[in-house]
């Protein structure tokens, strides 16, 4: 029953409180109701109006408001019909049922929120013959369906009495229905109105209510109503039973909770403890734990201490958290390594292109593990420029070995306790990052990446790199001591991999413990393969273009690399490809189609004009200009060395933000040429009558190191002899006063930088030949190498 429903929303979502009219029939003042042949139609969504019943409705639809207003101005009669589907927002002719109730608008109220509420009383049923108007609202030609007079026989009276009794029982069983509803029912005398009133408030589907409205004669309507009331009564009884059962269970739970709280209070008053369950659970876990004897003894002592402590004491949580850490650590729990070398190589090749040396080192480690079954893990350190995949390679190694993966970023770390942990007596004390990570992955042999180890802080606040000495020493890390744990923990099975951009940033003692593996920058050919295999598929997926036919040719990728990037890694290349994908995504959304390949003009439109040009480095049009090769932490680069002379007293001037070593190289070069002036056909008087000025462009960038020695000497010799330096030529090497050429480092990066810049010939020290041989021949195709031992050979090759 729905006697207590309140008015909530517009006519399509309305609930109501029926109002009992003074006259239970449909007439007013004893006069017969006159209904016109055509009448405005008001569709309702969630209810069926029965004759005699008065309900309030909030009207929300524009059509409905117009129909109500027009009807209220006229004879105040309107046809109310139900919708077939209550979810239809804007019903059409087909959405309306054919039989409804003519209603009289008793009152029209304008609400403060701008809505309209009407109070209507059902008068008589009608049938829609046809809809004659749809705009501005439905208007229909109708036929009135008059109800027969209620039968007076005993059988029908029994029906009516039974309906009253069932409705009263439902009201009694429903706590939400007020008791006054029963009084209303008992005072209804008209049997037809009683049937309509109960039908209107029946808690059943709209379709069932519509059946009640449509069915004839009145005796059949009463019979159907009784069936529906029986069903609702059974539901109300079942609901009442479930509610009573649930209330009993809740009462029982509340009683138990109350008693537990009383028991807890009594124990606390008596000085007892309430931690028995916690300690028992810990002991149960400890029995199933596989751990060293020392850890077992320490745990037993901790538990005994915990049993003597009251939970409210401050030290209780300290001891409890310490024991909890001991239980959570995977003391002798290891993941099983994958010993399939071929499969491991496939995994490594799938994730990273090239990097043969590192892959061979991992396969060697796997092979030893397979043969011996156990060995201390190596401490590897990948050194190379940014963006070449050092960190991601660590994850790939973990996948290949079948181990858990942990990554720690050490950049800016300045607190030693981040590594070793705090003493557990401090407030907020925690174990160090190493043990926290092992606790998290639940394995004592993960692959642990120590990222940016060369950028660890070292100041008055602490020196974490010294704390790492124990962690990264294969002879010591089997008994790593964490200040919080206060026990030794075996880290010898952990495969530590450190990454760095510059070895100079790592303190010597720590560097000595690392197995250094140099990672050089990528050649153009390698970058093309990386772009095709990894970067382009990744960016297509990230930008929702996975299924679109965008093709990148090798020439196009090469152009992006040479004109828009200057790096050893591929991060900037990845960003440029992402820019292209964003452009393609926009084109696809706007034009619904995209070209499968991009031409140079479109590429320039997306990425702008070329940022870098190789023409600058290919030729030296005047004497005194030589091209050197430099190494930076982001890879190799090309360096101009410019020399010029003017009248003076033989002074040497150096500009370009040069370091001490580079300044000394310039002085050495000048002294060597002064001593050997006649040999190289230089007028000795120039050294006393001319000032020499050496400048290295890009003055904002600090430069240092001995590798520009032969380049400086070539530039000075060129300006003093008036001979130009050969075009397409670059050089690198250290010089001595005796005219020897010494080897320098970073050869691969320097050579690849020269190749990127269009250099055709490179002069190197003879001892650097071995470094060139390590470079893939395909990457340096078209570059000619000259290996020299003395400065005489350099000048002979360089000066035209």
């Amino acid at each position: 029953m729905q006697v207590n429903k309140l008015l909530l929303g517009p006519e399509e979502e309305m609930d109501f409180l029926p109002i009992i009219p003074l006259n239970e029939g449909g007439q007013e003042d004893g006069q017969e109701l006159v209904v016109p042949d055509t009448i405005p139609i008001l569709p309702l969504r969630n209810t069926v109006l029965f004759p005699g019943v008065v309900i309030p409705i909030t009207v929300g639809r524009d059509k409905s408001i117009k129909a109500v207003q027009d009807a209220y101005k006229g004879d105040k009669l309107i046809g109310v019909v139900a919708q077939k589907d209550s979810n239809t927002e804007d019903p059409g002719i087909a959405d309306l049922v054919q039989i409804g109730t003519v209603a009289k608008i008793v009152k029209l109220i304008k609400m403060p929120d701008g809505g309209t509420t009407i109070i209507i009383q059902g008068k008589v049923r009608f049938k829609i013959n046809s809809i004659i108007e749809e705009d501005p609202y439905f208007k229909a030609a109708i036929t009135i369906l008059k109800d027969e007079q209620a039968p007076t026989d005993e059988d029908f009276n029994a029906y009516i009495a039974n309906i009253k009794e069932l409705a009263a029982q439902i009201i009694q069983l429903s706590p939400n229905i007020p008791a006054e509803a029963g009084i209303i029912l008992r005072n209804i005398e008209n049997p037809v109105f009683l049937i309509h009133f109960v039908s209107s408030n029946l808690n059943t589907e709209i379709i069932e209510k519509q059946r009640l409205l449509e069915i004839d004669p009145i005796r059949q309507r009463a019979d159907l109503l009784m069936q529906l009331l029986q069903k609702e009564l059974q539901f109300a009884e079942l609901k009442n039973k479930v509610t009573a059962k649930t209330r009993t269970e809740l009462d029982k739970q509340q009683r138990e909770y109350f008693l537990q709280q009383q028991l807890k209070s009594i124990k606390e008053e008596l000085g007892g403890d309430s931690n028995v369950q916690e300690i028992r659970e810990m002991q149960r876990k400890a029995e199933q734990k596989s751990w060293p004897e020392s850890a077992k003894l320490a745990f037993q002592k901790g538990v005994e201490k915990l049993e003597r402590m009251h939970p409210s004491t401050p030290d209780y949580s300290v001891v409890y958290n310490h024991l909890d850490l001991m239980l959570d650590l995977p003391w002798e729990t290891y993941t099983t390594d994958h010993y399939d070398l071929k499969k491991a190589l496939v995994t490594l090749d799938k994730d990273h292109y090239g990097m043969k040396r590192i892959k061979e080192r991992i396969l060697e480690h796997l092979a030893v593990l397979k043969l011996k079954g156990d060995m201390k893990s190596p401490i590897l350190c990948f050194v190379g420029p940014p963006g070449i995949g050092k960190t991601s390679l660590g994850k790939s190694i973990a996948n290949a070995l079948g181990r858990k993966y942990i990554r720690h970023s050490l950049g800016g770390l300045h607190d030693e306790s981040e590594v070793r942990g705090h003493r557990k007596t401090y407030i907020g004390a925690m174990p160090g990052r190493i043990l926290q990570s092992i606790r998290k992955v639940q394995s004592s042999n993960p692959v642990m990446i120590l990222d940016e180890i060369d950028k660890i802080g070292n100041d008055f606040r602490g020196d974490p790199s010294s704390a790492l000495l124990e962690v990264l020493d294969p002879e010591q890390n089997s008994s790593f001591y964490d200040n919080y744990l206060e026990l030794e923990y075996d880290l010898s099975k952990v495969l530590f991999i450190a990454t760095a951009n510059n070895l100079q940033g790592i303190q010597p003692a720590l560097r000595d413990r690392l197995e250094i593996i140099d990672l050089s920058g990528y050649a153009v050919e390698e970058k093309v393969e990386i772009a095709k295999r990894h970067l382009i598929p990744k960016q297509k997926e990230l930008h929702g273009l996975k299924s679109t036919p965008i093709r990148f040719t090798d020439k196009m990728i090469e152009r992006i690399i040479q004109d828009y990037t200057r790096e050893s890694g591929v991060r900037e290349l990845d960003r440029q490809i992402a820019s292209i994908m964003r452009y393609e995504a926009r084109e696809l959304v706007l034009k619904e189609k995209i070209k499968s390949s991009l031409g140079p003009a479109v590429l320039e439109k997306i990425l702008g004009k070329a940022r870098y040009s190789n023409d600058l480095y290919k030729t030296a049009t005047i004497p005194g200009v030589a091209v050197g090769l430099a190494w930076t932490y982001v890879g190799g680069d090309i360096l101009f060395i410019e020399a010029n002379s003017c009248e003076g007293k033989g002074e040497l001037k150096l500009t370009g933000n040069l370091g001490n070593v580079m300044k000394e190289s310039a002085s050495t070069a000048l002294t060597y040429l002064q001593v050997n002036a006649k040999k190289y056909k230089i007028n000795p008087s120039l050294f006393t009558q001319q000032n020499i000025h050496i400048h290295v462009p890009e003055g904002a960038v600090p430069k240092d190191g001995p590798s520009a020695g032969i380049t400086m000497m070539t530039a000075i010799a060129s300006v003093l002899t008036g001979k130009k330096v050969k075009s397409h030529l670059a050089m690198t090497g250290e010089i001595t006063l005796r005219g020897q050429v010494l080897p320098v480092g970073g050869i691969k990066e320097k050579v690849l930088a020269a190749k990127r810049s269009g250099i055709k010939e490179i002069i190197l020290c003879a001892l650097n030949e071995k470094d060139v041989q390590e470079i893939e021949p395909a990457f340096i195709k078209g570059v000619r190498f000259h290996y020299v031992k003395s400065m005489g050979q350099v000048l002979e090759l360089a000066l035209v």
Side-chain angles (χ1 to χ4, degrees):
M1 298 290 284
Q2 297 177 326
V3 176
N4 68 322
K5 284 195 174 178
L6 300 176
L7 179 63
L8 292 175
E11 79 278 3
E12 61 267 24
E13 295 179 359
M14 76 99 209
D15 291 330
F16 54 84
L17 174 66
I19 302 166
I20 302 298
L22 295 174
N23 54 332
E24 294 175 358
Q27 295 81 19
E28 288 187 356
D29 303 325
Q31 296 178 1
E32 192 70 22
L33 181 70
V34 179
V35 181
D37 293 332
T38 60
I39 195 167
I41 299 298
L42 176 64
L44 295 185
R45 179 147 53 174
N46 280 336
T47 192
V48 175
L49 178 65
F50 287 83
V53 177
V54 180
I55 59 172
I57 296 174
T58 297
V59 185
R61 298 179 183 132
D62 292 337
K63 275 187 174 184
S64 300
I65 292 170
K66 179 68 175 166
V68 165
Q69 287 174 344
D70 286 0
Y72 193 71
K73 290 174 186 174
D75 57 8
K76 299 185 179 179
L77 295 179
I78 192 163
V80 176
V81 295
Q83 291 179 200
K84 291 177 181 176
D85 184 3
S86 61
N87 294 320
T88 306
E89 292 293 334
D90 188 12
I93 297 171
D95 297 316
L96 305 179
V97 298
Q98 294 301 301
I99 294 178
T101 304
V102 174
K104 180 162 187 179
I105 304 172
V106 179
K107 187 74 175 174
L108 188 144
I109 306 164
K110 295 282 187 181
M111 305 302 287
D113 60 358
T116 301
T117 297
I118 58 172
I119 297 172
I120 57 175
Q121 180 184 11
K123 292 295 181 181
V124 64
R125 296 184 304 144
F126 73 90
K127 181 178 181 181
I128 296 176
N129 296 328
S130 62
I131 301 291
I132 58 175
E133 284 184 30
E134 290 186 49
D135 194 59
Y137 49 81
F138 292 117
K139 207 167 186 180
I142 64 168
T143 300
I144 299 298
L145 303 173
K146 289 195 175 182
D147 285 322
E148 63 181 280
Q149 288 294 322
T152 57
D153 57 274
E154 292 296 324
D155 191 24
F156 186 77
N157 290 338
Y159 269 113
I160 298 301
N162 204 3
I163 288 170
K164 277 190 177 183
E165 187 181 343
L166 288 170
Q169 288 180 26
I170 292 169
I171 290 169
Q172 194 175 0
L173 287 170
S174 303
N176 296 327
I177 300 177
E180 291 80 7
I183 300 168
I184 293 172
L185 276 172
R186 284 196 296 273
N187 284 283
I188 295 175
E189 295 175 359
N190 187 332
V192 176
F193 178 72
L194 175 71
I195 292 169
H196 290 164
F197 181 80
V198 174
S199 299
S200 181
N201 292 284
L202 193 63
N203 188 16
T204 188
E205 298 288 334
I206 296 299
I207 191 167
E208 296 289 355
K209 289 188 177 185
Q210 185 65 27
R211 276 181 66 202
L212 283 167
L213 181 68
E214 293 176 2
I215 198 165
D216 275 317
I218 197 73
R219 190 184 297 274
Q220 289 185 16
R221 201 177 304 164
D223 184 62
L224 177 59
L225 178 58
M226 269 184 56
Q227 293 175 29
L228 294 173
L229 282 171
Q230 286 283 5
K231 191 189 294 182
E232 187 172 348
L233 178 60
Q234 289 174 8
F235 179 79
E237 287 174 344
L238 182 61
K239 186 179 176 184
N240 219 34
K241 184 180 176 183
V242 171
T243 305
K245 185 179 177 183
T246 308
R247 189 183 294 116
T248 304
E249 288 176 359
L250 283 172
D251 289 344
K252 185 181 176 185
Q253 288 175 4
Q254 288 170 351
R255 179 173 170 273
E256 287 177 357
Y257 174 75
F258 179 67
L259 290 173
Q260 287 285 355
Q261 290 297 106
Q262 281 188 323
L263 186 62
K264 184 179 177 182
S265 301
I266 292 167
K267 279 189 174 181
E268 287 176 356
E269 287 296 323
L270 294 172
D273 52 31
S274 58
N275 62 341
V276 177
Q277 288 296 330
E278 289 179 345
I279 293 173
R280 281 181 185 169
E281 182 63 22
M282 279 187 159
Q283 288 172 331
R284 186 186 63 78
K285 287 182 181 178
E287 288 170 4
Q288 300 170 358
K289 194 83 178 169
S290 173
W291 50 5
E293 194 64 30
S294 58
K296 192 175 182 179
L297 290 171
F299 179 80
Q300 287 172 353
K301 286 181 180 178
V303 167
E304 289 170 5
K305 188 187 292 184
L306 202 66
E307 286 175 329
R308 294 192 298 269
M309 297 170 73
H310 192 270
S312 60
T313 57
D315 286 345
Y316 181 85
S317 61
V318 174
V319 177
Y320 180 86
N321 291 336
H322 182 249
L323 295 176
D324 192 44
L325 171 68
M326 291 177 67
L327 284 173
D328 281 352
L329 284 172
W331 291 88
E332 293 175 357
T333 304
Y334 306 101
T335 53
T336 306
D337 288 337
H338 298 161
Y339 295 128
D340 189 338
L341 269 64
K342 290 181 180 178
K343 192 174 179 182
L345 184 59
V346 168
T347 303
L348 292 169
D349 284 339
K350 180 184 174 185
D351 295 339
H352 291 81
Y353 180 78
M355 299 187 176
K356 288 183 179 178
R357 189 175 168 192
I358 290 180
K359 292 175 183 177
E360 286 172 0
R361 181 66 184 86
I362 298 303
L363 293 179
E364 288 167 4
H365 177 64
L366 266 179
V368 175
L369 277 175
K370 187 173 182 178
L371 293 173
K372 188 172 181 287
D374 182 33
M375 73 171 291
K376 289 181 178 178
S377 293
I379 315 292
L380 305 177
C381 180
F382 301 159
V383 180
I388 60 171
K390 298 185 296 296
T391 307
S392 60
L393 185 61
K395 192 166 189 176
S396 180
I397 290 169
N399 292 334
L401 295 174
R403 294 191 182 188
K404 298 290 181 70
Y405 171 76
I406 298 170
R407 176 183 166 273
H408 291 300
S409 180
L410 302 181
L413 195 73
H414 60 262
D415 192 351
E416 171 199 343
S417 57
E418 292 277 357
V419 179
R420 283 208 186 106
H422 308 80
R423 301 280 178 195
K424 69 172 184 279
T425 51
Y426 294 135
I427 294 173
M430 292 187 300
R433 284 196 191 185
I434 306 288
L435 285 193
Q436 281 186 53
S437 302
I438 288 174
R439 179 187 192 178
K440 187 177 179 180
V441 300
Q442 287 295 299
S443 171
S444 287
N445 65 335
V447 173
M448 191 173 291
I449 305 297
L450 303 176
D451 213 9
E452 311 291 0
I453 199 170
D454 56 328
K455 298 175 182 64
I456 295 179
N458 182 3
D459 54 23
F460 66 91
R461 292 173 290 186
D463 182 12
S465 61
S466 297
L468 283 172
L469 294 175
E470 181 187 5
V471 176
L472 299 180
D473 190 336
E475 300 302 321
Q476 296 180 41
N477 64 9
S478 59
S479 55
F480 170 68
Y481 186 86
D482 185 274
N483 291 331
Y484 185 87
L485 183 63
E486 293 183 342
L487 286 168
E488 292 179 348
Y489 194 88
D490 185 5
L491 297 178
S492 62
K493 303 293 191 298
V494 178
L495 176 55
F496 288 102
I497 299 176
T499 71
N501 298 129
N502 186 2
L503 275 178
Q504 307 305 317
I506 306 173
Q507 64 153 298
L510 186 58
R511 191 163 66 236
D512 184 57
R513 286 162 166 76
L514 304 173
E515 183 180 334
I516 307 294
I517 298 178
D518 286 307
L519 293 178
S520 305
Y522 294 118
V524 173
E525 292 82 358
E526 287 179 299
K527 289 183 180 181
V528 169
E529 286 299 319
I530 291 167
K532 282 159 60 178
R533 296 185 188 191
H534 300 285
L535 304 183
I536 293 171
K538 180 187 80 172
Q539 291 298 343
K540 282 180 77 173
E541 187 170 350
L542 286 174
H543 291 83
L545 300 169
K546 194 173 182 180
S547 58
T548 53
I550 304 173
R551 287 193 306 107
F552 284 75
T553 61
D554 288 2
K555 285 187 177 180
M556 179 184 169
I557 299 171
E558 280 182 28
R559 184 172 178 190
I560 296 170
I561 293 166
Q562 291 174 348
D563 290 357
Y564 297 96
T565 68
R566 272 291 184 273
E567 58 177 349
S568 293
V570 290
R571 281 197 184 127
E572 186 61 30
L573 175 59
D574 193 31
R575 284 190 279 269
Q576 299 302 331
I577 292 170
S579 297
I580 294 170
M581 293 302 175
R582 287 194 297 273
Y583 174 84
E584 292 292 342
R586 188 187 68 184
E587 290 294 300
L588 184 61
V589 171
L590 291 175
K591 300 179 181 177
E592 297 187 355
K593 62 178 183 178
I594 53 174
K595 293 180 180 179
S596 59
S597 59
L598 301 175
V602 179
L603 192 66
E604 191 170 298
K605 181 182 175 183
I606 300 169
L607 302 180
K609 295 285 185 183
R611 297 179 190 174
Y612 305 98
S613 173
N614 293 336
D615 297 337
L616 183 66
Y617 305 113
K618 289 179 182 176
T619 57
T621 55
I622 57 172
V625 180
V627 180
L629 299 175
W631 181 93
T632 68
Y633 81 96
V634 293
D637 204 357
I638 295 293
L639 204 64
F640 267 144
I641 306 288
E642 299 176 348
N644 217 332
S645 63
C646 60
E647 289 187 12
K649 300 178 181 178
E651 295 175 355
L652 177 64
K653 187 176 183 181
L654 301 167
T655 56
N657 202 350
L658 308 183
N660 289 332
V661 177
M662 209 163 178
K663 290 177 180 177
E664 289 168 3
S665 294
S667 299
T668 304
L670 185 62
T671 303
Y672 172 78
L673 286 173
Q674 194 170 357
V675 171
N676 297 279
K678 290 182 179 179
K679 180 180 176 181
Y680 299 119
K681 298 178 181 178
I682 300 171
N683 186 355
S685 62
L686 292 176
F687 293 100
T688 56
Q689 297 171 3
Q690 298 276 325
N691 287 343
I692 306 292
H693 184 171
I694 297 176
H695 176 68
V696 184
E698 297 185 43
V701 182
K703 308 166 193 74
D704 205 1
S707 63
I710 64 171
T711 317
M712 285 183 166
M713 198 206 68
T714 303
I716 297 170
S718 172
V719 76
L720 292 176
T721 59
K723 295 179 180 180
K724 295 179 184 179
V725 178
K726 190 188 291 186
S727 63
H728 305 84
L729 175 73
M731 62 192 78
T732 182
E734 185 181 352
I735 60 168
T736 68
L737 276 174
R738 293 172 293 162
Q740 288 182 306
V741 178
L742 302 181
V744 290
I747 292 300
K748 183 178 179 182
E749 285 84 357
K750 292 176 180 178
V751 169
L752 292 177
K755 178 75 163 59
R756 283 197 298 269
S757 300
I759 298 296
K760 302 296 183 187
E761 296 180 71
I762 299 175
I763 299 174
L764 298 171
C765 173
L767 295 176
N768 282 129
E769 186 175 359
K770 65 182 188 303
D771 300 307
V772 176
Q773 289 171 353
E774 290 180 3
I775 305 171
E776 190 75 32
F779 301 160
I780 51 176
K781 189 178 179 182
V783 179
R784 187 180 177 191
F785 292 91
H786 302 284
Y787 301 105
V788 298
K789 294 182 179 179
S790 66
M791 276 310 303
Q793 292 174 288
V794 174
L795 295 179
E796 191 178 326
L797 289 165
L799 299 181
V800 178

